[in-house]
Amino acid sequence: MALSRDEVLKVGTLSRIRLTDEEVERFAGQLSSILDYVDKLKELDTRGVEPLAHALPIHNVLRDDEPRPGLDPQKAVGGAPDSTDTLFRVPRVIDDGSSA
């Protein structure tokens, strides 16, 4: 299944990354190979195969959730490059979606 240039650019836009022409060509081939492999997997007869999340049985080993004293808020922000009172200040990361 060969992906078109426009499809690769759409994936790049959805991923919020800019792609050079060279990258579009390279990724078109790589993504097409991945989709071809997925199509090949569809040929397998999986009737009677139980779905699983892991190849080996695993068991969660969790400690009891017991309350304990938390970190002092002033200490928590003490090493931060920018803070206000007990809050971390960080650069804005949400934009209007016009860049990609």
Side-chain angles (χ1 to χ4, degrees):
M1 170 181 217
L3 288 178
S4 70
R5 175 180 174 76
D6 289 338
E7 289 171 319
V8 174
L9 288 171
K10 171 98 177 182
V11 171
T13 300
L14 292 173
S15 304
R16 303 184 67 78
I17 57 174
R18 289 186 184 95
L19 300 173
T20 65
D21 289 338
E22 178 186 310
E23 290 171 328
V24 170
E25 295 303 317
R26 183 169 26 118
F27 293 150
Q30 291 175 350
L31 291 170
S32 295
S33 295
I34 292 168
L35 293 176
D36 288 341
Y37 188 74
V38 170
D39 278 342
K40 189 172 189 91
L41 291 175
K42 288 180 185 177
E43 297 172 10
L44 294 173
D45 180 12
T46 58
R47 288 178 295 197
V49 176
E50 290 293 320
L52 54 95
H54 299 279
L56 301 172
I58 62 168
H59 305 283
N60 286 335
V61 181
L62 302 174
R63 64 175 169 79
D64 290 335
D65 191 11
E66 298 173 2
R68 55 186 184 179
L71 184 62
D72 175 59
Q74 291 297 336
K75 277 188 177 179
V77 298
D82 192 8
S83 64
T84 302
D85 298 322
T86 58
L87 304 174
F88 293 97
R89 292 178 47 95
V90 297
R92 182 184 173 119
V93 293
I94 300 174
D95 62 20
D96 64 1
S98 62
S99 63

